[in-house]
């Protein structure tokens, strides 16, 4: 069918198919570009400007001087981050707390995911549902629930005092311990789900083969199950670790005034001190820390997606 | 030319109608012209030229990854050739999208729309063409009758068995009366018994509707039962095209000979080539092979004699004339299959020869047992001579 | 499987689920407590529910949140569905890596960063083009639909990847054009995923505190913002009552949705298995 014999409608259809593709890609692309990527560039820009008492409260980066554009890069914010040990402490604290929480979440989540993956058909979907359900209920309320439990006048203390094990209430809320509990509690489903999906896909006869060839159950686990579930462990750990580093609500509600975490620092710079440039610099520094794990996470996602296709 | 003249001679006038490929004046219905398809650096289809004629049931046969499915998908319009041209009924298909091509496809997975009833599935193609409602109803009823699925018109695909879904898929792809029906492993999802039964049904339906069928399969038995002609494919190229008879009796390469049925390949060199006969001396088998037609080649060239196991004769005594086409060895393996028995005979040179014999009479005990010394012999016309 | 091992697994599951559910149960139980103290049970009462419904600030905030949730989820669906389609069906194109990055990154991006960056974008846009004039429900909706779209895209993409592509090819082969194929074949088949994606977006939006706090303006206080300001001061029985209501609503919604999804899933599996018959 040579092109001059095409009807007008056919031509229109082919044009639509050729350009419709661009349209389907273009709309979400443009949206994500404008509302996800561009904002980071703006944060970067503002992190180089100075705080001012103005609306908005920062100095302009570009200025017209003598009919030319001058760019005043101000590294002061970053120097300030370096000079004040508060920020370094907050960063290190965040990474430490996030890492420890991730390990605890893995230790609790792995046996659960394994148990669910090995459960029988209908039981499996019920258990899976039970893991997902809390994830759908309000995050804030789940954190809030722990206030009532860990508080000085909370349920654990009341119970322990009643049994007579302790005579003085334990200080649990407003400690780092409470932050661990909060993070593990809220992020547990994020660990279990990717673990479950790799464990569920795993052929059980692989373990049987290992047992058949003389492995003890724990050896079969260490030599077969564990290496095969590594992608799930990685995905789950990153899903917990990355957001936990920037967590604000949990340290704010459960942690003490000394539990410095970077998300909280950013929040305070922004809302309490109204220092937008410093808040931006804090955000950029946090991103620099997180870029590697985020890229890693994306890499795993892409690999998984290619595996499915 | 390794095929004897007598076979080629059969291509005379009165077979032109039933065998258009033997008629130099026949116009091909589907034409692949030097078609190549590359995926990255990988040649899925490499410079394939192929003519298919009207009313044929043409099979593309080969192992997985040989390019047969890619060839079919290019015909359907799901893949564009990297280079080369495809014509259907004289029309260049370049740039014609799948939904405008005069082809319809029956998918390996059947690809029935799970959210539509049998009726709606079958009607789908007509709805796209804006056919009137009453006409659709009529055509769908007729088509469901043809595939004997009228009773199940209101069912959803998940309420059907595999065989029933296969019929629905067939009805759906035939209803638009395509110029060409493409079938991707049409019987691959059915079990063995159902498959054999359905093979003939498909052929009958094809004869009834007269549509040209192009089928992809990896199953040589299926291809041989159903197809008018078969193209044997390997690594993106077509090794041989021919009727099932031609391919089995006159393979042109060791690949085709091996792919269709079983074969003993005996390597040797040409020692005598006359107008009427040829002799190949095989060190591998330890014998001389007499061929009853000329072989085009010079003396000293390497050839392979391909002999089907059922064309070999097994005897305990030496045949009268042991000069040609005759070797001796020991029975090494026996496979008793009821109707036939297969024997593996180990020759003095170490080569193994496979022989099958029909068990046409009832025996008190097996004719041969392990370690029996036997002679294997064959007729002068039994071997095909291959040079590749 | 050895008995010892399954005992271990069962106790791990029991411990894990207790850990997940006991705090929620306690919140529910104490929402019916007469007294104000969490520790002391002073009798059954529904008075906190009454006082919750008389709390106008709370009701207004809930109304704001619901509106934002519905709008964001719908917008996220409209943006995320084509994004998921592009990721699983469009093959390679220029900028695909960036595109898949912009879909994966919001899933793990710390909320404080997303919130701050979007606020700065809105402020900058207002300076340059005068829009959005001030911040409020519309800016929160944009912010929420952006990160929810990423979730929808992932859900849709994984559903499409598991779907036999030849069903769509069959439709094209029978004469349907790509646009029509999407609406007549693809959309009905991924409907459960779309429903799940919408619900997920709706809950994420309803749940978000941090991003909303950054991009909210006067008069657009959402429920989490309201809850947060009152929770900061400690436990309040009114919040317990609110939590109970939210948990109840979510549970009902999820159970209904799961049953619907399970049913269609089962249908799909039966389709896949029927070839064995």
């Amino acid at each position: 069918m040579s092109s001059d014999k095409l009807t007008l409608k056919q031509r229109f259809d082919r044009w639509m198919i050729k350009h419709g593709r661009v349209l389907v890609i273009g709309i979400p692309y443009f949206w994500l570009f404008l509302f996800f990527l561009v904002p980071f560039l703006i944060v970067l820009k503002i992190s180089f400007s100075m705080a001012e008492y103005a609306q908005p409260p920062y100095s302009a980066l570009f200025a017209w001087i003598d009919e030319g554009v001058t760019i005043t890069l101000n590294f002061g914010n970053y120097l300030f981050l370096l000079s004040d040990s508060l920020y370094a402490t907050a960063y290190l604290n965040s990474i430490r707390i996030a890492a420890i929480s991730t390990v605890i979440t893995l230790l609790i989540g792995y046996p659960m995911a394994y148990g669910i993956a090995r459960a029988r058909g209908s039981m499996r979907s019920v258990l899976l549902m039970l893991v997902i359900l809390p994830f759908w209920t309000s995050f804030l309320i789940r954190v809030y629930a722990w206030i009532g439990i860990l508080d000085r006048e909370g349920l654990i203390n009341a119970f322990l005092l009643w049994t007579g094990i302790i005579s003085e209430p334990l200080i649990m809320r407003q400690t780092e311990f409470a932050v661990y509990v909060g993070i593990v509690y809220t992020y547990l489903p994020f660990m279990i789900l990717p673990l479950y999906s790799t464990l569920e896909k795993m052929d059980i006869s692989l373990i049987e083969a290992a047992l058949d060839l003389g492995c003890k159950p724990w050896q079969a686990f260490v030599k077969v199950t564990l290496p095969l579930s590594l992608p799930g462990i990685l995905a789950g750990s990153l899903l917990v670790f990355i957001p936990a580093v920037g967590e604000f609500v949990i340290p704010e509600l459960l942690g003490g005034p000394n539990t410095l975490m970077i998300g909280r620092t950013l929040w305070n710079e922004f809302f309490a001190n109204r220092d937008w440039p410093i808040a931006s610099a804090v955000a950029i520094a946090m991103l620099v820390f997180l870029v590697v794990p985020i890229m890693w996470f994306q890499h795993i996602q892409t690999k998984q997606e290619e595996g499915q296709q | 030319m390794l095929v004897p003249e007598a076979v080629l001679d059969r291509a005379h006038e009165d077979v032109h109608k039933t065998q258009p490929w033997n008629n130099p004046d026949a116009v091909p219905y589907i034409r692949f012209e030097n078609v190549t398809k590359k995926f990255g650096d990988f040649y899925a289809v490499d410079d394939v030229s192929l003519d298919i004629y009207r009313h044929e049931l043409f099979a593309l046969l080969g192992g997985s990854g040989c390019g047969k499915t890619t060839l079919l998908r290019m015909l359907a319009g799901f893949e564009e050739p990297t280079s080369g041209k495809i014509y259907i009924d004289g029309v260049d298909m370049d740039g014609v999208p799948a939904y405008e091509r005069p082809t319809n496809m029956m998918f390996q997975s059947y690809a029935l729309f799970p959210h539509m009833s049998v009726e709606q599935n079958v009607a789908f193609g007509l709805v796209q063409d804006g056919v009137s409602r009453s006409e659709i109803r009529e055509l769908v009823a007729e088509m469901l009758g043809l595939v004997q699925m009228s009773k199940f018109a209101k069912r959803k695909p998940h309420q059907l068995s595999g065989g029933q879904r296969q019929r629905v898929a067939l009805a759906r792809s035939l209803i638009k009366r395509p110029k060409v029906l493409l079938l991707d492993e049409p019987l691959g999802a059915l079990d063995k018994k159902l498959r054999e039964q359905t093979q003939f049904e498909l052929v009958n339906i094809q004869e009834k509707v007269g549509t040209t069928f192009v089928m992809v399969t990896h199953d040589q038995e299926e291809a041989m039962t159903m197809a008018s002609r078969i193209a044997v494919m390997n690594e993106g190229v077509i090794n041989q095209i021919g009727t099932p008879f031609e391919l089995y009796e006159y393979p042109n390469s060791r690949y085709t000979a091996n792919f269709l049925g079983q074969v003993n390949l005996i390597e040797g060199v040409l020692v005598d080539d006359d107008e009427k006969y040829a002799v190949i001396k095989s060190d591998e088998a330890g014998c001389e092979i007499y061929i009853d037609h000329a072989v085009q080649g010079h003396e000293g060239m390497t050839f392979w004699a391909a002999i089907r196991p059922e064309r070999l004769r097994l005897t305990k005594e030496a045949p009268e004339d042991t000069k040609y086409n005759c070797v001796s060895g020991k029975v090494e393996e026996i496979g008793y299959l009821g109707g036939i028995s297969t024997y593996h005979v180990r020759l003095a040179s170490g080569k193994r020869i496979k022989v099958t014999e029909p068990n046409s009479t009832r025996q008190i005990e097996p004719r041969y047992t392990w370690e029996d010394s036997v002679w294997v012999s064959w007729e002068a016309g039994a071997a095909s001579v291959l040079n590749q | 499987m050895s008995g010892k091992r399954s005992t271990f697994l069962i106790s791990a599951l029991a411990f894990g689920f207790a850990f997940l559910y006991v705090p929620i149960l306690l919140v529910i139980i104490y929402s019916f407590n007469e007294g104000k103290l969490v520790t002391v049970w002073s009798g059954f009462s529904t008075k906190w529910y009454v006082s919750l419904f008389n709390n106008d600030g709370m009701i207004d905030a809930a109304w704001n949140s619901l509106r934002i949730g519905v709008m964001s989820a719908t917008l996220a669906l409209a943006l995320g569905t084509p994004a998921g389609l592009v990721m699983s069906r469009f093959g390679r194109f220029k900028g695909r890596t960036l595109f898949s990055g912009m879909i994966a990154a919001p899933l793990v991006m710390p909320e404080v960063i997303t919130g701050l960056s979007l606020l700065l974008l809105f402020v900058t846009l207002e300076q340059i083009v005068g829009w959005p004039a001030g911040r409020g429900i519309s800016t929160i909706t944009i912010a929420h639909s952006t990160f929810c779209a990423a979730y929808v895209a992932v859900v849709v993409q994984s559903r499409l990847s598991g779907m036999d592509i030849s069903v769509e090819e069959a439709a094209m082969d029978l004469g349907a054009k790509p646009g029509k194929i999407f609406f007549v074949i693809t959309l009905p088949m991924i409907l459960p995923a779309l429903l799940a994606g919408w619900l997920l977006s709706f809950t994420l939006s309803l749940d978000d505190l941090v991003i909303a706090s950054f991009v909210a303006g006067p008069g657009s206080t959402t429920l989490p913002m309201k809850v947060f300001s009152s929770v900061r001061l400690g436990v309040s029985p009114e919040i317990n009552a609110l939590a109970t209501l939210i948990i109840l609503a979510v549970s009902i919604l999820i159970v209904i949705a799961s049953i619907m999804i399970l049913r269609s899933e089962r249908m799909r599996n039966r389709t896949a298995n029927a070839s064995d018959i």
Side-chain angles (χ1 to χ4, degrees), chain B residues 143-212:
Chain B
M143 194 49 80
L144 287 178
L146 181 73
V147 297
Q148 297 163 18
M149 285 295 293
S150 307
K151 269 195 293 186
F152 304 99
K154 302 283 178 216
R155 293 227 184 147
K156 288 274 180 74
H158 65 85
Q159 297 167 310
L160 302 175
S161 73
Q164 290 168 334
R165 283 196 270 156
Q166 193 257 4
R167 286 155 193 273
V168 177
L170 181 65
R172 186 180 72 176
S173 52
L174 273 177
I175 199 150
K176 288 181 79 174
R177 303 265 163 206
K179 287 183 174 172
V180 184
L181 183 72
L182 309 171
L183 304 103
D184 186 4
E185 302 275 2
L187 310 173
L190 303 180
D191 60 43
K192 196 169 185 316
K193 220 162 185 173
L194 196 56
R195 198 155 59 208
E196 281 168 9
Q197 186 189 330
T198 316
Q199 282 171 4
F200 291 107
E201 262 180 37
L202 256 180
V203 174
N204 285 339
I205 286 175
Q206 196 251 349
E207 276 167 12
K208 231 181 258 178
V209 296
T211 310
T212 309

Side-chain angles (χ1 to χ4, degrees), chain B residues 87-98:
Chain B
Y87 298 91
I88 298 177
D89 200 9
V91 179
D92 184 359
M93 286 293 128
D94 187 28
V96 180

Side-chain angles (χ1 to χ4, degrees), chain A residues 9 13 17 20-22 24-25 27-29 31-40 42-43 45-46 55-56 58 108 111-116 118 125 127-131 133-142 144-149 151 153-155 158 173 181 184-185 188-190 192 204 207 217 221 225 238-239 242-243 245-249 252-253 263-264 266-268 270-271 276 279-280 283 286-287 290 294 297-298 301-302 305-306 308-309, chain C residues 1-2 5 8-9 12-13 15-17 19-24 26-27 30 38-39 75 79 82-83 85-114 116-125 127 131 135 142 145-146 149 151 154 157-158 161 177-178 196 199-200 203-204 207 209-210 213-214 224-225 227-228 231-232 234-237 239-240 242-243 246-247 250-251 254-255 258 262:
Chain A
K9 183 162 172 7
D13 286 342
I17 281 147
R21 194 182 140 90
V22 175
V24 174
I25 298 175
I27 292 172
Y29 210 118
W31 183 282
L32 286 170
F33 189 79
L34 179 62
F35 292 115
F36 186 73
L37 203 66
V38 173
F40 288 117
I42 295 174
V43 173
K45 187 197 111 182
I46 291 172
Q55 193 57 263
Y58 52 84
I108 298 177
M112 287 182 76
Y114 194 87
I116 297 170
R118 292 287 163 265
S125 28
L127 291 177
L128 204 58
M129 174 97 165
L130 284 174
V131 170
L133 205 62
F135 166 74
W136 291 85
T137 55
S138 169
F139 160 72
L140 196 54
I141 278 165
R142 279 179 295 143
Y144 161 76
W146 281 99
I147 298 179
I149 296 172
D151 220 12
E153 282 93 35
L155 281 160
R173 194 189 157 202
V181 170
V184 171
Y185 182 68
L188 190 57
F190 290 97
I192 294 178
I204 188 128
I207 299 161
F221 176 79
T225 314
L238 291 172
L239 270 176
I242 300 169
V245 168
E247 189 51 64
F248 162 73
V249 177
E252 180 73 17
L253 290 182
R264 212 174 163 189
L266 193 157
W267 179 285
N268 287 334
F270 183 84
F271 285 103
W276 292 18
S280 300
M286 196 196 307
L287 260 185
L290 291 179
I294 287 175
F297 173 73
Q298 206 216 319
Q301 286 278 102
T302 333
E305 158 208 329
E306 276 163 7
Q308 277 171 343
Q309 286 168 2
Chain C
M1 198 174 290
S2 69
R5 194 135 141 255
F8 169 70
L9 285 181
L13 281 172
F15 169 77
F17 283 118
F19 178 61
L20 281 177
Y21 281 93
V22 166
I24 296 175
L26 289 174
V27 167
Y30 278 94
V38 221
T39 37
L75 195 55
L79 289 164
L85 188 75
V86 166
M87 290 299 292
S88 68
R89 288 287 190 264
F90 276 40
R92 310 220 162 273
F93 58 90
K94 244 189 187 167
R96 189 190 158 98
T97 316
L98 179 65
F99 191 63
S100 71
M102 289 194 299
I103 286 171
L107 306 184
V108 287
M109 191 57 69
E111 290 165 321
V112 279
I113 297 183
T114 313
L116 176 70
S117 65
L118 274 167
L119 169 73
L120 297 181
L121 172 83
F122 291 137
V123 171
T124 311
L125 277 181
Q127 275 180 299
W131 177 91
R135 290 175 296 282
I142 290 174
S145 47
T146 304
Y151 279 88
V154 169
Q157 184 195 348
S158 83
S161 304
K177 296 183 185 74
L199 279 174
L200 184 62
T203 7
L204 285 171
D207 203 17
L209 163 72
V210 175
S213 302
F214 275 98
M225 289 162 75
V227 170
F228 182 67
V231 160
R232 254 181 160 160
V235 174
S236 126
I239 298 294
N240 279 350
L242 176 71
I246 291 177
I247 291 164
V250 167
S251 308
I254 293 305
V255 168
S258 310
L262 261 182

